[in-house]
């Protein structure tokens, strides 16, 4: 299922950690803040903290 920007409905990469296109993110937060937000969201995704029911858990072992 393709993701769409919550503001302008443009296509968004399905692997994106945010549901906004880059143009709208820059319009809302500015370029620097957008980069910080996306960077930190990617870090949390790598830790598994964006997976429903797995917050704070170890992805490899499944332990909390």
């Amino acid at each position: 299922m393709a993701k769409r920007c919550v503001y302008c409905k443009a296509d968004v990469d399905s692997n994106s950690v945010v549901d906004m296109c880059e143009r709208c993110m820059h319009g809302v937060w500015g370029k620097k803040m957008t980069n910080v937000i996306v960077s930190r969201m990617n870090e949390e995704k790598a830790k598994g903290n964006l997976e429903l029911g797995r917050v704070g858990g170890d992805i490899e072992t499944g332990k909390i």
Side-chain angles (χ1 to χ4, degrees), residues 3-10 12 18-21 24:
K3 288 171 66 170
R4 298 225 179 244
C5 176
V6 296
Y7 287 102
C8 72
K9 306 300 182 211
V12 176
V18 291
D19 293 335
M20 293 173 66
C21 68
C24 287

Side-chain angles (χ1 to χ4, degrees), residues 3-57:
K3 288 171 66 170
R4 298 225 179 244
C5 176
V6 296
Y7 287 102
C8 72
K9 306 300 182 211
D11 289 333
V12 176
D13 182 13
S14 61
N15 294 322
S16 176
V17 292
V18 291
D19 293 335
M20 293 173 66
C21 68
E22 190 171 297
R23 189 183 101 230
C24 287
M25 285 189 291
H26 289 174
V28 172
W29 297 308
K31 191 172 183 177
K32 283 183 179 180
M33 192 63 191
T34 293
N35 292 338
V36 171
I37 290 168
V38 171
S39 173
R40 296 216 174 133
M41 291 288 288
N42 280 324
E43 290 172 13
E44 293 303 314
K45 182 179 181 180
K47 293 177 189 176
N49 290 337
L50 298 184
E51 302 297 323
L52 185 61
R54 298 194 68 153
V55 176

